[in-house]
Amino acid sequence: MTASAEGRKGTPGGLATLLADAAAEAVRATKGRAAGVYMPSGTPGVLRLAVLVGLPGRLYRPWWRLHVDRRFPVADAYRLGVNVVLPNTTESMRRYPQFAAGLPFPVGTINVPVMGSSGPFGVLTVLLPPASDITEVLAERDRVAEIAEELGAAVRRLEAAGVPLVWEEEPLCVRPPGTRPPSGRVGCFTWQPTTDLLTADDNARLLLRLAAEDRPWGADALVRAVAAEDTNRLVDLLREAAAGKQPSGPLQVRTAEGAPRLVELWSPDATVHGPDQPISGIVLDAASVADAAADQLPQGVFCLDRLGLIVYANPRAAELLGEPRARFLGRALWEGVPWLSQPACEDHLRAALLSPQPVHFHIRRPPPGGRESGTQQFEPYGGDWLSVSVHPGPDFLTCTIGPAHRGSQAPVAPEATDEAAGTGVAATSPVHRPIVLAIALTEATTARQVSAVVMQELLPAFGGRRLAIYLLQDRHLYLAWETGFPPGFLAPFEGVGLDARLPGVETLTTGQPLFFDSMQQLADAYPGIPLDATEGARAFLPLIASGRPVGSCILGFDRPRSFSTEERTVLTALAGLIAHAMEKAQRYETEAALARGLQRALLPRRLPVHPRVETAGRYLPGTQGMDVGGDWYDVVEAGDGLALVIGDVQGHGAQAAATMGQLRSAVRAFALDDRPPDEVLSGTNHLLIDLDPGQFATCCYVRLDPVTGRAMVARAGHLPPLLRRPGGRTLVLDIPGGVVLGVDPLAQYPVTELVMDPGAVLALYTDGLVERPGGDIDDGISALRVALARAGASVGRPGGRSLVTVADRLTATARHAADRPDDIALLLAARRSGTEGGALYRELRHPTHTPHRTA
């Protein structure tokens, strides 16, 4: 395993090593091109790619996440617990057309479930060269099944040891077994002329045979590393660099042992010269990557390893790519040459990595003034077409690059315009990129997400610049999404009825798409229709799902163009896909509104009023996904005191909401009987185990005496409360707790006693308020503690800030966030002084019209 999983936050290193070793063994045993392991994520029903062997993770990004209900081979293997073997593309297309569409080159797959203690833990998947039929891959299938069984046994041992078996990170990418790693191929070093201090990374040290015990190194160590006949040339190169002169090119030398090397020096800031400027350099193992003669070729040549790192490039390749070699050698292709970060280029590289056949394509290089190093910003027009060929090998991809002949500068489609080609993203066929739209639409769940996918995938595929999507409601069309049209241009079309003579209406009522090669054609067909300033083409597509009208889709182009028969067919088919996605999104949003209503109905409409205690609660639903959550809070009158409760049922959906409702009722019943906190949690725990909903819950229960301020607290796996003392000091209460509810019938829940002084504020919350993807939850709790310390000033004092205002401040950031991956519940309680509490109690019970009412 060449990539370490240790130290990845939240990822058990031992588990990552097991998965990587299993995937690497699967590649070795089957001579596959790549392999990976999928395992559950923290999101119910979603699998994540945990490790990937033999492919750069970036090129496999569309398949990093898979829903278990999706019609994909990995999902079926996991959901059904069966092997899914696809020997070739024909079989893949027959059984899994969406999967095959995303890999438009010959490939076979073997997918075997990895069994945990209670069902499939994950899936071991292998991509291998295609076979004529399944009989040719039976031996490979059996070997993969053996590896999956061995992995399953190891996983079951980890389960028994309590290791969390979820994956939330990007996939760990590992080089395939037997390939030569880039270690020692490209090394970097820095030399400071004024101090004669040389620093080198491990690769440079290995390539130059620099002994670690000889540190600190100087220029003499660099000179001693090369053969005697090359020392003078290297010394001259160092002198030029120290004098501020940019060396003309790399120097070919040999080490003292005779191994060929390339050494290149440059100043990090070419505009500033002088002895204080450090000199940077790289050293390459020229013989192991390509013969030195390749540097003299008029054609550009560069090599990538199996993880996408650029390990060699001759000067002509650097010239054509428009980047200095020192900037991209040893880096991933899409980092070293950012303008190659285009979907079309990634499609071809993926094909070369998975298929034994060479891949040839054209790509448009942006003009020098239209790109910035390290960005993907470039002019859509201008620049030169380049011809690229990629030749697969066991260790490397060898790429040749050169200017495309003028006759080949329209590689998109016979009838594609310069506008379509200028985007640089449709360099495959006019069909493949739209097929990606079909795959992407399966992940879109709202009308806004569907529209965004259409804009990202459909417009670039056909060179479009404008998009408008109208949805049908009460026999009128209303704009759901638009981009590219002049401000206010679409306003007259808002809410038009189905009797209007407009192309966007008639395409829906007739069910026939309408194509206009120019605005003049559109004006001739619909005299008097408002036109924008462009002369471009228009396409009006009906959105009809299962025979029911959904709306209309309008595509606009800046220039006139014709639509080939193939393009018309593809666009018409895609309109049906968009319609089905929109119909699903509308249904989703309707059901989401109902689900949110159910969730809110289960929460308390108002909290009890007490003369000595002020309380405030807030609930914010998550915005990712339709399913309701299981967060709740409550305040219950318990004898002569108050019970403060907060809880979180694991998972989302109607089942989580139903379980939440049952637990809330149980806790209220125990609280009304004024049971001690430990008995409340124990009784609720037994109830949840008896119900056996397949879920667990966390809970924090506080029994507060409003007169004395004495509070008894018990926790069941919930986050610790926060306490802001009257002086402003705010603490995270280190309260011992028991396990979550619904797991152990013998669980004990210790009770901790504390005192809330008048003016103190107690905060109970769920993880949605403090947890952020990729962040440490302790950091989130610390941030909430600081926010409570600031916002809670003067609470509980006459004329002070109300607890409602504090609750609003603590949830303000989350309330305005566009994406909330989880629900949020917050409950605050503050003690008042006896005088102020009595006045407020009387005011609330018997309101008066005095102008200075305490808030």
Side-chain angles (χ1 to χ4, degrees), residues 94 315 435 508 575 615 625 690:
R94 184 182 69 83
I435 288 178
L508 180 61
T615 58
D690 291 342

Side-chain angles (χ1 to χ4, degrees), residues 432-442 453-454 457-458 574 578:
H432 172 58
R433 287 287 293 165
I435 288 178
V436 177
L437 169 67
I439 298 172
L441 283 175
T442 63
V453 167
V454 175
E457 301 292 348
L458 187 59
L574 286 175
I578 297 169

Side-chain angles (χ1 to χ4, degrees), residues 441-445 579-589:
L441 283 175
T442 63
E443 300 291 335
T445 53
H580 280 284
M582 277 295 182
E583 183 185 49
K584 181 186 73 173
Q586 289 177 314
R587 184 170 61 249
Y588 171 99
E589 290 169 346

Side-chain angles (χ1 to χ4, degrees), residues 15 18-19 21-26 28-29 112-116 121 124 142-158:
L15 173 62
L18 277 176
L19 302 180
D21 289 346
E25 178 61 24
R28 183 185 299 110
V112 178
V114 179
M115 304 306 294
F121 152 79
L124 175 60
D142 293 342
R143 183 65 187 117
V144 174
E146 293 174 4
I147 297 170
E149 177 54 37
E150 294 169 1
L151 176 59
V155 166
R156 291 191 289 273
R157 290 193 292 271
L158 291 178

